[in-house]
Every structure is written in structure tokens, then in C-alpha cells.
Amino acid sequence: MDPRYEAFTIADPLWYEPLDRCDDAENRFEPAAEGLPQGWRQETQGVWEFVCPDHGMSLPEQGWKIHVSATPETADQTIKTTWGVCRELGLPWKFLRSPLIVTAMNAKYASRATSGKTITVYPRTDAELHAALLKLDAALGGTPGPYVLSDLRWNDGPVSVRYGGFLPMWCEQPDGTRVPAMRTPQGHLTPDLRRPAFSVPDWAPVPDFLSERMPSADSSGATVGSYRVRKSLHFSNGGGVYLAEDRDGNKVVLKEARPHAGLDGSHADAVARLQAEYAVLERAGHLPFVPSPRGYFTAWDHHYLAMEYIPGEQFSAWMGLNTPLTRHRPSAEARAAYADLAVDSLDQMAQAITALHDLGLAFGDLHHHNVIIKPDRTIALVDYELSVPISTDRRAPLGAPGFMDRSITDVRMADWFALGCCQLAAFIPLTILMTRTPAVVERLIATTTEEFPSLPADFIERMTQRLSISDDLRPHLTALPAASPPRQHALPESQSLLDGISAAATPHRRHLLFPADLAGHRPGGGLGLAHGAPGVLLAQESVGDTPADAHVEWLARAAREAPADTPTGLYDGLAGTAWLLHRQAHPAASAALDRVLSGPHPASPSLFSGLTGIAHVLLDVGEKQEAIRLAGQVARRIGEPGVLDRPGLMQGWSGPAVLFARCAQVTGDEEWAAAAEQAIRCDLRHGRTHDGMLQMHSSERLLPYVAEGSAGVALAALALPKAQATAIDAPAIVAAAARAGSVPLIAQSGLFKGRAGLAYFLSHAAVQQPQWQAEAEQHLRRLTLHLAPHETGKIAHGDQLMRLSTDLATGSAGVLLAMAAFQSPGRCLLPGGHPSLV
């Protein structure tokens, strides 16, 4: 799971929502029971409550800020105590609004850079900073609270300091993303990096009372206790996992736990779980699949468990490298060979669980990341922090989505259910879909037996019995799937998706009309094509539905009220709204476009958030001269190091390549055609071909997708003028990308990085190479796996599959666009993905 998503799964069980939408109104902190005194005001901003004097000095843009950490249990009194100090000194400050938010911000997979910051105080001068530190330390010193990793701790905590921005300022990264900023002495905005380690900009002023406390630059911290750390293996907010060596040079694994950090659902911290794991290893370390403990110690205030290093690879990594379902038309022999090896490992997992239960222990967290396949093909289980005696009756406070059922309180049964999920996910790793749509389990099993017909019947039977432990799944597993030819599943129904989108609309919200991916909650996200209303309205149009007048008016109003610093890109901001309103012939289109053109243009040349997307909008509205001028700015940067280095349509050079091909059409100037070829060659440098499949090496993976991957590059190849298409052998690129995109196993459903996008691309590839139309159809049929009932319709699971989404990039709107492309092969629907949309 992408750790960014966890915080967006707390507020709502159905949609990705920010923490500030949590239902905590009945349990919020009050700094003063009698209310704030005259001359002070309080304002809610997201998860924070700001408290400041009415007529105090205005805040500087940046400076040394004070953080005070707390646990959920100590937060209320810590807030009251801090209020007393801030009131005495007249200091602006803010605090997290409820115990629920404090817990969420310090959960196991919360951001390590921001975790622990329950309170922030804003001193305006060095004198105020020093006075506040002294008084807060005197009043709170030693109070429990997690160490804030980004800060310099003052004495023993929970008070710490960091230099950073006070007021909201933003700067643009080379890839077009906007990040918090600070201002250098020369007046330039530079990223305000919130890293999980203390650092100070070279140019920042450091008061003497802080400089004397600064850590030395000595890097000998690679030694922890008597061990020398060689490599970081994993990080969470609770601590890290490291490969290390003891004094004799023997490899060990060090597992770190931070006090009061990495909270689970029962508020247990990482230290409590590490101590429990150590006790389990001492009890079970003699078993051949359990790492033996080497010792437990503390260094500074962190706790460490040293344990045996077990060589091998995670079962999940082995699956990713070896499953035949990520290859084009895998052979029966490849399927059978994979099935034999997987079943052997899964049978060993069953033996391991039995041995633990015989010892009186339940494993508690069985999933593919916690299983190691050793070089001799035996397995080991790692990560025992949730292991408990089998006499324990509980619901797991943590666990991997898709491998647990919180209603199962018998810990032995929970282990067996998790094993059933492991068995199924070893072949079709989509068990997370069962959480929201239990009925999908039957189809997952049927797909498993269709794709791997050599699986033994008794293996399927044992797997089904274990899955039946879940009350939710049991009604759908009353009979084993009959041996029969593979079923041809129906295509998605556009009306069902349209009904789901309409039912999900929230016109009362100011910033987001349709539920979206977490990126839809960023500034401007609701106005862009990727995650906002314009993309959904476009998708509705593409299948012949007329967008509701009220929804178009919502968009026009949102554009008028958008803050001055709203992103202006086509897919992430105002240009997307201007484009859609122009398409609707709405009178507000002109004003929205004026805002895009009057503000500072984005620095990025990308299609997603930069100049390429804006140039496309200008061409569509008839502003040819300005569009060509912006395209020229993009062309001058072709091949610039560090720019658009994520190959694909949205963040790579393939997006500009399509723009240049369009400029060649519009102007008749062959220089644009040459620029298009040059741009696409920049992306092709990242290409990797294996077994005839072309993928793009990006983000440390090989990717076949539209936004980032070979499908996006191939769409650009389809857009090239004839001479340039011949020069790069565009048909071969399209065919190889189509092979990479025509594989049975795709985890996500989205248009940008999932199955819908591959179906969209294949429908266009089929215009020149008709054999790919059948593959596009197969993707659409399999997309029905990802659809969940909502009201009278259906909604697609969004990225990471933990919540639903209606947006174009990740959700239902993207599925609709793929369906429209399939029904009319060659129909150009995706703005910026083709030389024109006619």
C-alpha cells in the first residue's frame, strides 16, 4: 500500500477523504473551558485549530517554529498547558483538534516527517522563541510524546524546534508538483523540505541558544549499539528495519521502535509491539521458519530488536517477478510451473501456522510481504509484532488490507483466513476487492482456476474452506466452482456507471463535486481533468449523456471562487475547467481562460500540469498564436536533464510530442514534426523490451500504462506525422506496447495507471493493428471485477483499491472513457493524447 493513502481512509468508509472530514465533533479539545478571553480568536483550518491575538504583530513568512508532541492520552492537558504559556507571551499557535486526529497523525504509516506535531507555536522574534522554549520546557518537560524526527529536540522533550515556513507559500518542482516553500535571502522561493531528519537551510539565521545545541556533522551514527548498519530495509512511522553486522561481521536484522510513535487501533505504540515480538521470538525462535533473537537493547530513546538475518526474497517480490500473468499470452507450461512452486510455498505456510498454533501462538499478520522464500525454497515467516497467544480473543488492531477480516475474533481462525487469502492472492492478487464486494470472491476463484487449470482440486478446496471462515464471504462460497470452460463475462454497463456517478455527486461541497482520488483534495484538484469535475463531465459526454446543468454551474462557480494561487494546468487545475466550459459553450469559459493566461504560467512543460496542456487548450479555443508561442517554450527544453523524466503521456516527453505533432498540422511547419520525433525519442530512452513487450523503466519499475509507461509513449507514436512515424518505426512501438498492455493481470482499474487506460490505448492501436481490439474487449470485461455497487449504480475502485473513485484518472469516469473508445475505435477523447479531438 502507498503510505500516502492511509490517512485518507480514516474519515470515510467509502471514499478517499482528508482527515479534516472525520466525525470528531463530540470530542474536540478546548484549550480553555471558559472560552478564549477578549482579544483572542480561534479558527478551524482543516485538522488544526488556530488561536491568535486579535491585534498582535503579523506573522513573518518563515522562521523558527516550536512543536510540542503528545500522546492521545496526554494531548488534552498538554494543549491546556501550552495555551497558558502562549496566552502569557501573546503568541499565535495551533493544535490538532481531537484525540482521533492525534492518533491518526501518529499512526504506524503516518508521515514520518510530520508525525508527533500536536501543537505548533509561532514566535515572531528570537526573544519570543527563547522565552517560549524556556517556559514550555519548564511546564511540560518530560511529558510523554513522540520525538519529532524533523526537529531539534529541546532538552528531553516534548518540545522541539524547526526552521520553516509560517505562512502558506508554494513553489513548483521540475515535474510540475507544488510543494511548500520558503524564501531565500535573495527573494527566491525554495522547497521547505519536511524530511524525517533535522536540517537547517545554509542561509537561515540560527540564534546562539540553538546553535550550541546543534548536532555535530559526525556521521558515526551508522553504528547502533554494538551493530554497524549497512542498509535500510523498510521505514514506517514506528521505526525502521535495517540490515546490520555484529562485531564478528555476521549479518543481523535490526528492528527499531520509537516510543509513543506508530500507534495502532488500540493505541499501542511501536515499542509495545516490538517487546511483544521479542517475547514471541524467544519462545518460537527454535522453529526453522522463525528468525532467532540476538538481543534487545535501547540506543538513545529508541528500542531495537536484533534478530537472525534470513536470506531470500519476499513472497510478494517472487510473485511479481515470476507470475506468468504479467506476460502476453503465457504458455500452459509457464502457468503450471508457477502454480507448482506457489503451491509448495503456500503448503509450507500452512505447516508453519500449524506449528505456531501447536506452540500456543497465533501469527496475527500473515500476508505475502511477511513470507520469505529462502535460497533452498523453504519459507520463513517474519514480523511477529502482532503475534499473540491463541487464547487471546481480539480484533486485529493492524493488518494488511485484503488479508484480514476484522469480524473474526478467534486468532487461530484469523490466521487460517489470512492463509486462504494468501492462497488466492498468489494467483489473482485482488483479494482487497473482497472487503467491499464480498461476492467478487467467487469470480476471483473462478479466474484462478481458469488461468491456472493445473491447480490441484484439494488445494482449491482447502483455500475455499479457509475463505469461508469469513461471515461475509461464506454465502458466496457455498459450492466449489464447477469445472467448466472459461466464462465470457459481460462488458461494463455505461448506465450503471452513470447512475453511480450521479448518486455520488456532492454539489454542496465547495472544492470537490465528485468523489476522487486523494489528489482531488489538493488545491485546484477539483478543477482539473484528472481528479475534478471536468473529467467526469467529459466522460459523461463521451458515452452520450448530457451533464447536469447544476454540475456545469457548480464548475463555473468553483472557477470564479478559486484562490489566486490555484494551479493552472489542464489536468490539475483551472485550464481543465476552462477547457470543459468552452466545450459546453458556457459564458464563464472566457473568464476562466483569462485567469489561466493572466497568472504566472507553470514552469513544467508537461501535459498534466504544465505548458503543454495549456497550449492544447489555447488551440482548442482558437488562440493559435499564443498556443504556438507556449509550444515553442516547451520545444526549447527538449532533453533538458531532470525535466519530464517519467516517460509517458502525462509527465514525460510523449505529451509534448503530441502537442508538436498538432502544431505541425496547424502550421504546416516541418520543424514541429521534427520536434515531435525528438521529444518521443527522449521517452524511448527509458524503454525496455522483454519477450516482445515494451515497457518504460520509471519510478524504479517497468510500466506499461498511459500516464507513465509504454501505452502513453505509443499513443504519442500514433500521433506522429508519417515521416517521423516511419523514422522511429511507430508500428513496432505500438505493437510492442500493446503486447505489454495485453496481459491478464492488472491490479488497478484506472485510466492513467490501470486497466481502463490499457483498454483505451488498445482501442486506438486496433485502428492500425486490428488484432488488439479483442484484447481491449478483454480488459473491459475484466474491469467489472473492480466495480462496486453504490446506490442504484456502480462505482470503480480507485487507486490502491481501498476506496472508490469517480474521477477520470483513477475511477468510474476513466472506465467510461475507455468504453467510449472501444465502441468507436480511433475516437480521440483524451485531451492532449491526440493531435486533435475531432
Side-chain angles (χ1 to χ4, degrees):
M1 181 185 75
D2 185 331
R4 297 175 302 166
Y5 281 76
E6 183 180 58
F8 288 81
T9 64
I10 296 170
D12 193 281
L14 196 61
W15 314 109
Y16 289 119
E17 293 287 358
L19 270 175
D20 60 84
R21 291 182 65 83
C22 285
D23 182 13
D24 60 355
E26 300 298 319
N27 195 26
R28 294 195 179 183
F29 296 126
E30 293 292 341
E34 68 280 5
L36 297 181
Q38 187 174 1
W40 288 80
R41 67 181 186 275
Q42 182 172 333
E43 177 182 327
T44 301
Q45 294 188 13
V47 298
W48 295 96
E49 294 289 336
F50 280 79
V51 182
C52 60
D54 281 330
H55 304 294
M57 296 166 50
S58 61
L59 283 178
E61 286 186 331
Q62 60 204 37
W64 287 95
K65 59 181 75 174
I66 298 173
H67 292 123
V68 183
S69 67
T71 68
E73 294 75 23
T74 64
D76 184 50
Q77 185 56 52
T78 299
I79 288 168
K80 288 180 168 64
T81 301
T82 301
W83 162 232
V85 173
C86 291
R87 179 179 179 181
E88 177 185 349
L89 298 177
L91 295 177
W93 66 297
K94 68 179 181 181
F95 60 91
L96 293 176
R97 71 190 194 195
S98 71
L100 174 61
I101 301 296
V102 173
T103 302
M105 295 286 279
N106 198 28
K108 181 175 181 180
Y109 287 104
S111 167
R112 298 172 67 236
T114 59
S115 175
K117 299 175 183 179
T118 302
I119 296 165
T120 304
V121 181
Y122 297 98
R124 294 153 295 198
T125 66
D126 287 354
E128 285 186 343
L129 172 65
H130 199 195
L133 286 170
L134 293 174
K135 287 183 176 293
L136 288 169
D137 184 60
L140 294 169
T143 302
Y147 172 48
V148 179
L149 293 173
S150 64
D151 286 21
L152 173 66
R153 188 159 66 171
W154 187 266
N155 293 334
D156 295 326
V159 180
S160 60
V161 294
R162 174 185 178 272
Y163 190 89
F166 283 15
L167 302 180
M169 296 187 292
W170 302 87
C171 65
E172 188 179 342
Q173 297 283 66
D175 66 356
T177 57
R178 299 166 79 238
V179 296
M182 296 184 289
R183 198 177 302 278
T184 68
Q186 292 76 32
H188 304 302
L189 291 177
T190 187
D192 182 3
L193 300 175
R194 282 101 189 266
R195 292 174 175 152
F198 176 66
S199 63
V200 185
D202 294 340
W203 43 263
V206 182
D208 291 341
F209 58 85
L210 290 182
S211 62
E212 62 192 22
R213 295 169 177 260
M214 294 288 185
S216 69
D218 182 13
S219 61
S220 61
T223 298
V224 179
S226 61
Y227 300 94
R228 178 163 290 277
V229 175
R230 294 303 186 190
K231 182 181 180 182
S232 300
L233 302 176
H234 174 71
F235 282 111
S236 74
N237 186 39
V241 181
Y242 310 94
L243 179 63
E245 291 179 355
D246 62 18
R247 290 191 178 97
D248 297 325
N250 300 310
K251 289 182 179 179
V252 297
V253 170
L254 290 183
K255 191 169 184 179
E256 173 192 38
R258 300 174 54 221
H260 314 299
L263 303 181
D264 62 24
S266 64
H267 288 192
D269 68 0
V271 171
R273 293 194 300 275
L274 192 68
Q275 291 172 339
E277 180 167 9
Y278 180 45
V280 170
L281 296 189
E282 285 199 306
R283 182 172 173 181
H286 63 283
L287 296 173
F289 57 87
V290 179
S292 59
R294 297 288 190 261
Y296 189 101
F297 62 95
T298 59
W300 195 38
D301 62 350
H302 291 197
H303 292 233
Y304 292 87
L305 168 59
M307 68 187 87
E308 174 190 5
Y309 166 71
I310 297 178
E313 62 181 337
Q314 289 177 313
F315 190 77
S316 54
W318 177 83
M319 287 169 48
L321 289 172
N322 292 280
T323 177
L325 299 191
T326 56
R327 302 168 200 162
H328 179 62
R329 297 182 180 175
S331 67
E333 292 77 13
R335 297 171 194 258
Y338 174 84
D340 287 346
L341 292 172
V343 167
D344 178 66
S345 294
L346 291 159
D347 286 347
Q348 290 184 59
M349 291 182 212
Q351 295 165 16
I353 293 300
T354 298
L356 284 174
H357 290 182
D358 289 345
L359 201 60
L361 295 169
F363 184 64
D365 193 20
L366 185 63
H367 56 84
H368 294 157
H369 291 304
N370 285 346
V371 179
I372 300 294
I373 300 179
K374 296 188 284 187
D376 64 359
R377 295 252 5 124
T378 62
I379 65 104
L381 302 184
V382 296
D383 197 353
Y384 289 77
E385 65 177 29
L386 297 183
S387 297
V388 293
I390 58 175
S391 58
T392 306
D393 186 40
R394 71 161 188 184
R395 290 175 173 84
L398 287 173
F403 295 87
M404 61 182 299
D405 183 328
R406 292 189 184 277
S407 68
I408 301 173
T409 58
D410 184 318
V411 294
R412 290 172 300 180
M413 293 297 101
D415 276 352
W416 291 122
F417 174 74
L419 179 59
C421 294
C422 286
Q423 290 176 292
L424 181 54
F427 301 98
I428 307 294
L430 293 173
T431 53
I432 191 171
L433 297 176
M434 303 185 310
T435 305
R436 188 168 310 282
T437 314
V440 81
V441 65
E442 183 180 2
R443 186 166 167 195
L444 292 177
I445 293 175
T447 303
T448 296
T449 57
E450 290 167 7
E451 296 288 357
F452 297 93
S454 68
L455 283 172
D458 61 340
F459 174 86
I460 300 296
E461 181 178 3
R462 291 194 301 273
M463 175 181 72
T464 304
Q465 290 172 346
R466 289 159 182 161
L467 293 170
S468 296
I469 294 170
S470 166
D471 291 339
D472 291 334
L473 299 185
R474 192 178 307 116
H476 308 288
L477 296 168
T478 53
L480 293 176
S484 60
R487 287 191 293 169
Q488 186 72 293
H489 296 283
L491 291 167
E493 297 178 358
S494 59
Q495 189 58 53
S496 179
L497 287 164
L498 290 168
D499 290 344
I501 289 171
S502 296
T506 55
H508 58 280
R509 295 180 72 169
R510 292 177 57 84
H511 305 299
L512 197 66
L513 176 57
F514 297 103
D517 183 74
L518 59 86
H521 299 286
R522 295 172 184 161
L527 300 174
L529 279 167
H531 306 292
V536 177
L537 302 184
L538 165 64
Q540 290 174 329
E541 277 191 358
S542 74
V543 292
D545 191 48
T546 301
D549 290 343
H551 294 166
V552 178
E553 291 305 320
W554 181 98
L555 190 58
R557 190 267 313 156
R560 287 193 302 271
E561 298 178 359
D565 62 350
T566 298
T568 57
L570 176 59
Y571 280 91
D572 74 336
L574 273 168
T577 290
W579 182 87
L580 194 283
L581 292 175
H582 172 77
R583 186 181 177 93
Q584 291 284 316
H586 194 282
S590 179
L593 184 60
D594 286 345
R595 285 200 56 183
V596 172
L597 298 179
S598 62
H601 286 162
S604 170
S606 74
L607 171 62
F608 186 85
S609 59
L611 297 180
T612 291
I614 295 174
H616 273 294
V617 175
L618 291 171
L619 286 172
D620 284 339
V621 303
E623 296 287 343
K624 173 183 170 181
Q625 185 174 353
E626 180 63 11
I628 296 298
R629 187 184 71 81
L630 292 185
Q633 292 184 24
V634 176
R636 287 190 288 274
R637 301 184 67 184
I638 295 175
E640 182 177 324
V643 175
L644 301 191
D645 56 0
R646 292 161 59 189
L649 196 63
M650 291 296 160
Q651 303 287 5
W653 281 107
S654 293
V658 175
L659 172 64
F660 302 150
R662 188 175 184 185
C663 290
Q665 285 184 352
V666 170
T667 67
D669 187 342
E670 286 299 313
E671 288 189 6
W672 287 114
E677 179 186 338
Q678 184 183 2
I680 200 170
R681 286 187 184 277
C682 288
D683 271 3
L684 288 171
R685 291 180 305 185
H686 300 271
R688 304 290 185 272
T689 302
H690 173 70
D691 194 24
M693 302 187 303
L694 174 66
Q695 297 173 301
M696 294 294 126
H697 186 261
S698 184
S699 302
E700 300 183 355
R701 294 176 295 165
L702 290 173
L703 302 176
Y705 305 118
V706 167
E708 186 177 2
S710 52
V713 178
L715 279 173
L718 287 169
L720 290 180
K722 184 176 181 180
Q724 286 68 37
T726 300
I728 67 167
D729 195 359
I733 291 171
V734 171
R739 285 178 65 88
S742 299
V743 298
L745 180 59
I746 301 293
Q748 300 183 145
S749 61
L751 186 71
F752 279 19
K753 48 185 178 181
R755 199 180 285 277
L758 296 177
Y760 183 90
F761 158 60
L762 290 168
S763 294
H764 287 83
V767 175
Q768 295 183 6
Q769 302 175 18
Q771 69 270 28
W772 302 118
Q773 186 73 353
E775 302 285 1
E777 179 179 355
Q778 184 72 335
H779 275 314
L780 289 174
R781 294 186 188 281
R782 288 185 171 177
L783 270 171
T784 57
L785 273 172
H786 292 259
L787 305 183
H790 179 65
E791 302 290 340
T792 59
K794 291 187 176 181
I795 302 283
H797 281 79
D799 280 2
Q800 305 298 306
L801 308 181
M802 293 186 293
R803 295 293 185 269
L804 306 182
S805 171
T806 66
D807 70 28
L808 186 72
T810 70
S812 299
V815 176
L816 284 173
L817 209 72
M819 293 170 62
F822 173 76
Q823 290 159 2
S824 301
R827 185 180 171 198
C828 300
L829 299 164
L830 188 64
H834 314 278
S836 68
L837 292 186
V838 295

